[in-house]
């Protein structure tokens, strides 16, 4: 292990309050605590596409027992010709939907110049997979002093992911939730978008007390497999889930972003019921230490 890794302040061994692997640093997002024994489900549309669609999705999330609303106003898209999100108009819609439903808002910021504007509205700032190593963005978000959802880059090692979290933490912001969202795999396997890395959850939880959640929507890319991957992620020890939802009354063919991923309301309800039926296990102090692991 290189020096740059061993001295990260977010490692348990360097964070005196949390050396015990049974402890977790709780992150409070608009009154919802992430990191407790009760898993938290954050759900909502991929992108904010209209007020009606976002409100309908939010009502479905609240009715199913989801506790925070996700939705992107600024969307990271592979092609510059794809829908990029509604931008600031999307933030205004999210603010109105929070007003109408009371759900706290988790939304992505991509551009360091927009951090202040997004932070003004949001309850939690999402750093997307493609931005995990945008270091100036991590620094700005660290300075914003609000909870951060840090997605794992889809080709990032556990160590690279932890180093990115440290960029946020060293600005004085320790309210970071890590999100496993699937990693790149052999592209000839066309049946899934990426692969949920179940195996990273336990070593990550042993390495750091920051809460860890799972995003089965971007891992599978297909709503029909989101429920089983949600269950597997919970079995593996995540503190919560980030789930994309199809707004009732919306046709998939109308959607401009991730149309195949959103689960219908009844599937979301079953996912929340499953999450509510179990407690997050403590990270295991007795687990064997793999070579190359951050300790
Ligand atoms: C998202 O959550 O909408 C998203 C774009 O995810 P990711 O950054 O993991 O691809
Ligand atoms: Mn999406």
């Amino acid at each position: 292990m290189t020096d740059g890794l061993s001295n990260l302040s977010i490692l348990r061994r360097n964070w005196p309050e949390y050396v015990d692997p049974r402890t977790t640093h709780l992150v409070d997002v608009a009154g919802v605590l992430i990191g407790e024994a009760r898993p938290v489900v954050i759900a909502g549309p991929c992108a904010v596409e209209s007020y009606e669609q976002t409100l309908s999705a939010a009502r479905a999330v609240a009715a199913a027992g989801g506790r925070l609303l996700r939705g992107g106003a600024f969307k990271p898209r592979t092609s510059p010709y794809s829908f990029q999100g509604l931008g600031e108009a999307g933030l205004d819609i999210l603010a109105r939907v929070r007003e109408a439903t009371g759900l706290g808002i988790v939304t992505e910021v991509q551009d360091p110049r927009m951090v202040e504007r997004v932070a003004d509205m949001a309850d939690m700032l999402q750093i997307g997979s493609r931005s995990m190593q945008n270091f100036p963005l991590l620094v700005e978000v660290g300075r914003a002093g609000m909870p951060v959802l840090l997605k794992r880059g889809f080709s990032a090692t556990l160590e690279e992911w932890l180093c990115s979290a440290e960029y946020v933490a060293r600005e004085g912001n320790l309210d970071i939730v890590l999100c496993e969202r699937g990693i790149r795999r052999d592209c000839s396997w066309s049946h899934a978008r990426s692969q949920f890395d179940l195996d990273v959850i336990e070593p990550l939880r042993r390495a750091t007390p920051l809460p860890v959640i799972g995003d089965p929507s971007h891992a599978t890319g297909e709503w029909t497999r989101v429920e089983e991957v949600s269950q597997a992620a919970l079995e593996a020890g995540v503190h919560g889930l980030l789930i994309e939802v199809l707004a009732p009354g919306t046709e998939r063919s109308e959607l401009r972003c991730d149309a195949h991923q959103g689960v219908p309301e009844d599937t979301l309800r079953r996912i929340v019921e499953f999450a509510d039926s179990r407690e997050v296990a403590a990270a295991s102090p007795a687990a064997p230490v793999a070579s190359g692991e951050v300790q």
Side-chain angles (χ1 to χ4, degrees), residues 138-181:
L138 297 171
V139 169
E140 277 310 308
V141 162
R143 291 178 182 162
M146 80 159 45
V148 176
L149 182 64
L150 179 62
K151 288 194 151 194
R152 179 186 187 182
F154 47 66
S155 300
T157 63
L158 184 156
E159 289 82 358
E160 288 163 344
W161 193 8
L162 289 169
C163 284
S164 290
E166 184 77 11
Y167 271 92
V168 176
R170 75 199 285 269
E171 297 306 319
N173 184 358
L174 299 170
D175 290 335
I176 305 164
V177 175
L178 301 164
C179 179
E180 161 58 30
R181 52 76 72 205

Side-chain angles (χ1 to χ4, degrees), residues 8-286:
L8 301 184
S9 66
I10 57 164
L11 298 185
R12 287 189 186 279
R13 65 176 192 190
N14 296 330
W15 196 344
E17 285 160 81
Y18 297 109
V19 170
D20 182 337
R22 288 165 301 189
T23 56
T24 306
H25 176 70
L26 299 183
V27 176
D28 182 335
V29 183
V32 174
L33 289 179
I34 306 180
E36 284 192 317
R38 181 181 174 200
V40 171
V41 177
I42 305 169
C46 174
V48 173
E49 300 202 26
S50 70
Y51 175 68
E52 292 69 26
Q53 165 250 10
T54 308
L55 182 64
S56 161
R59 290 202 165 126
V61 169
R67 291 197 283 155
L68 292 166
L69 179 68
R70 63 146 287 143
F74 296 94
K75 296 303 303 176
R77 302 307 298 277
T78 302
S79 168
Y81 304 113
S82 299
F83 172 60
Q84 306 281 313
L86 296 180
E88 295 203 47
L91 296 180
D92 296 340
I93 290 173
L94 285 168
R96 287 170 63 200
V97 170
R98 176 176 49 201
E99 186 76 21
T101 62
L103 289 169
I105 306 287
V106 182
T107 197
E108 178 160 354
V109 59
Q110 294 186 83
D111 184 333
R113 295 166 298 188
M114 290 302 291
V115 169
E116 218 176 300
R117 172 71 178 94
V118 180
D120 252 4
M121 191 286 304
D123 296 292
M124 180 178 226
L125 296 174
Q126 177 172 324
I127 305 281
S129 187
R130 291 155 192 80
S131 298
M132 189 204 85
Q133 287 187 312
N134 181 339
F135 302 117
L137 176 65
L138 297 171
V139 169
E140 277 310 308
V141 162
R143 291 178 182 162
M146 80 159 45
V148 176
L149 182 64
L150 179 62
K151 288 194 151 194
R152 179 186 187 182
F154 47 66
S155 300
T157 63
L158 184 156
E159 289 82 358
E160 288 163 344
W161 193 8
L162 289 169
C163 284
S164 290
E166 184 77 11
Y167 271 92
V168 176
R170 75 199 285 269
E171 297 306 319
N173 184 358
L174 299 170
D175 290 335
I176 305 164
V177 175
L178 301 164
C179 179
E180 161 58 30
R181 52 76 72 205
I183 49 174
R184 260 285 152 84
R185 65 181 185 189
D186 178 352
C187 293
S188 62
W189 295 12
S190 57
H191 67 275
R193 190 169 177 178
S194 43
Q195 180 162 12
F196 191 88
D197 187 7
L198 281 174
D199 221 14
V200 81
I201 307 300
E202 175 70 16
L204 187 57
R205 290 195 50 208
R206 279 207 306 280
T208 177
L210 297 173
V212 181
I213 69 169
D215 171 354
S217 302
H218 292 88
T220 61
E222 175 61 54
W223 75 265
T224 55
R225 284 196 301 276
V226 166
E227 186 173 359
E228 64 194 7
V229 177
S230 297
Q231 293 178 357
L234 288 160
E235 294 291 352
V238 295
H239 295 101
L241 296 168
L242 183 71
I243 307 278
E244 286 189 353
V245 173
L246 177 67
T250 306
E251 294 298 326
R252 289 190 194 277
S253 56
E254 294 166 27
L255 291 172
R256 296 201 275 173
C257 202
D258 287 349
H260 301 293
Q261 280 175 201
V263 295
E265 199 176 357
D266 59 333
T267 306
L268 180 65
R269 181 166 292 131
R270 284 199 304 274
I271 292 170
V272 173
E273 270 168 21
F274 185 84
D276 277 347
S277 72
R278 49 187 305 113
E279 290 205 340
V280 180
S284 164

